[in-house]
């Protein structure tokens, strides 16, 4: 510009030796397509290259395990594979944490919801057998279980309307889990189960829980506790209708001589049924309770009335 038009550039320095600033920039542009920076030379990229590095749609293609979870279905599918229980615990834990981030941002696509729920529940139910002893698991595996429970609770909070098709399966697996693991994890699983049932219609909840009330294994105790919370949500007419099917399991739990928690849970469940049904329950229980059982139930009903 200076040579062609004879005008001084406002960026030039007449007193400095060597070519002007403008000439230096021009010379640099002609000699190399690189951009000078304070830390060295970085190759310039075209818009198409930038787009390609962002996955073609302008979004960053960061790894789902580097703290910036992806939002596309393909990445969710990759995480589902990494959460499979055949993977090492470290891989599973990272993938589950990435899924939690996606869930919190409501970035789970509809077609991925079912597979995510299934792989989380399958991971929890690995080596679990109703009535068997608590399995011995490594600390890494227990960390995966804790993360899976967190992920399930986040799914319930963010996608409450999509669990109806999975209610029976998830309820059954969580009840088994509650019955086998130490208090902390069992309590966490029971909280997840209560959150799940609170999002479903009461009659749908009863269908999911009813079969476990008559179970002859340790799943009966958490099922009774969950049922106790459910009773107040049930229509009295429907509770009256299903009462003959419910009472055998509850009465067997009431008479259990090994588990104090099971007996207390059965008493509290019967008290909640009395609140809904009144004397209809007492008529149904006539001749089925021992004098001491009837006295105990009456005491708890009185306490419930006072409270």
């Amino acid at each position: 510009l200076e040579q062609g038009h004879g005008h001084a550039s406002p960026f030039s320095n007449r007193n400095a030796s060597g070519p002007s600033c403008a000439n230096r920039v021009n010379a640099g542009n002609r000699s190399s397509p690189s951009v000078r920076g304070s830390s060295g030379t970085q190759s310039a990229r075209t818009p198409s290259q930038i787009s390609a590095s962002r996955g073609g749609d302008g979004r960053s293609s960061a790894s789902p395990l580097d703290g910036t979870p992806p939002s596309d279905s393909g990445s969710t599918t990759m995480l589902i594979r990494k959460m499979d229980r055949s993977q090492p615990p470290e891989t599973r834990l990272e993938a589950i944490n990435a899924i939690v981030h996606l869930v919190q941002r409501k970035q789970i696509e509809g077609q991925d919801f079912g597979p995510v729920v299934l792989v989380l529940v399958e991971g929890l139910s690995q080596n679990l057998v109703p009535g068997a002893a608590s399995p011995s698991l490594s600390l890494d595996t227990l960390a995966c279980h804790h993360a899976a429970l967190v992920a399930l609770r986040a799914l319930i909070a963010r996608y409450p309307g999509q669990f109806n098709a999975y209610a029976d399966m998830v309820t059954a697996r969580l009840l088994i889990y509650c019955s086998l693991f130490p208090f902390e994890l069992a309590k966490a699983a029971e909280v997840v189960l209560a959150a799940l049932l609170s999002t479903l219609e009461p009659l749908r909840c009863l269908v999911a829980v009813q079969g476990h009330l008559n179970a002859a294994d340790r799943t009966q105790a958490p099922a009774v506790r969950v049922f106790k919370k459910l009773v107040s949500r049930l229509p009295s007419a429907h509770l009256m209708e299903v009462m003959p099917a419910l009472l055998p399991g509850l009465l067997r739990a009431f008479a259990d001589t090994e588990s104090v928690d099971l007996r207390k849970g059965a008493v509290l469940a019967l008290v909640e049924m009395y609140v809904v049904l009144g004397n209809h329950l007492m008529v149904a229980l006539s001749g089925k309770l021992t004098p001491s059982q009837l006295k105990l139930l009456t005491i708890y009903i009185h306490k419930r009335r006072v409270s």
Side-chain angles (χ1 to χ4, degrees):
L1 289 175
E2 294 177 20
Q3 294 173 356
H5 299 279
H7 299 293
S9 170
F11 303 104
S12 63
N13 186 351
R14 292 298 185 181
N15 297 326
S17 61
S20 66
C21 179
N23 289 337
R24 289 198 301 271
V25 172
N26 290 336
N29 290 339
R30 287 194 301 270
S31 62
S32 172
S34 62
V35 179
R36 294 284 180 180
S38 60
S39 61
T41 303
Q42 178 183 357
S43 299
R45 298 186 297 171
T46 65
S48 61
Q49 290 173 324
I50 295 174
S51 177
S53 70
R54 294 177 175 242
D57 56 0
R59 292 180 296 184
S60 174
S61 58
S63 166
L65 305 182
D66 64 359
T68 308
S71 59
D72 55 85
S73 179
S75 297
T76 304
T77 302
M78 179 190 69
L79 292 175
I80 291 172
R81 289 198 297 267
K82 288 179 177 290
M83 287 191 298
D84 188 86
R85 60 189 185 183
S86 63
Q87 297 292 332
E90 298 82 2
T91 301
R92 292 171 56 197
L93 183 59
E94 289 182 350
I96 293 171
N97 288 333
I99 283 290
V100 171
H101 285 293
L102 291 180
V103 172
Q104 290 172 343
R105 292 165 175 79
K106 298 195 72 172
Q107 293 178 345
I108 300 295
E109 302 292 339
Q111 69 272 16
D112 294 325
F113 180 83
V116 168
V117 172
L118 291 174
V119 75
L120 288 171
V121 173
E122 285 295 327
L124 286 175
S125 60
Q126 186 176 11
N127 300 326
L128 300 189
V129 179
S134 300
S136 178
L137 302 177
S138 67
L139 291 178
D140 289 338
T141 302
L142 290 175
C144 289
H145 284 207
H146 177 76
L149 291 171
V150 171
L152 282 172
R153 191 170 184 185
L155 281 167
I156 293 167
R158 294 292 184 176
Y159 302 90
Q162 298 192 34
F163 268 93
N164 192 60
Y166 307 95
D168 294 331
M169 182 269 295
V170 176
T171 298
R173 299 297 178 86
L174 287 178
L175 286 174
I176 295 173
Y177 194 89
C178 290
S179 67
L180 294 180
F181 276 86
F183 176 79
E184 184 178 354
L185 282 173
K187 188 65 176 178
E190 196 167 323
V191 169
V192 173
L193 181 57
L196 169 63
L197 297 180
S198 69
T199 66
L200 301 174
E201 292 294 327
L203 299 183
R204 182 70 182 86
C205 297
L206 184 61
V207 171
V209 174
Q210 183 173 347
H212 299 279
L213 293 176
N214 295 318
D217 52 48
R218 285 186 288 181
T219 63
Q220 187 182 24
V224 168
R225 291 194 296 269
V226 170
F227 172 72
K228 177 247 180 184
K229 298 176 182 178
L230 175 63
V231 171
S232 62
R233 298 174 55 201
L234 294 170
S236 58
H238 188 81
L239 185 58
M240 178 75 73
E241 180 182 344
V242 299
M243 182 172 58
L246 299 175
L247 287 182
L250 292 174
L251 292 177
R252 187 169 63 251
F254 196 175
D256 188 89
T257 59
E258 296 181 0
S259 174
V260 175
D261 289 338
L262 180 57
R263 291 198 304 273
K264 184 176 180 180
V267 171
L268 295 178
L270 289 171
V271 170
E272 293 302 315
M273 291 179 67
Y274 178 84
V275 172
V276 177
L277 300 177
N279 287 330
H280 294 291
L281 175 65
M282 304 309 292
V283 172
L285 292 175
S286 178
K288 298 179 181 178
L289 296 176
T290 65
S292 59
Q293 287 177 327
L294 182 59
K295 182 179 180 180
L296 180 63
L297 180 60
T298 303
I299 292 173
Y300 272 90
I301 288 174
H302 177 69
K303 287 183 179 181
R304 180 67 170 82
R305 284 174 171 172
V306 172
S307 63

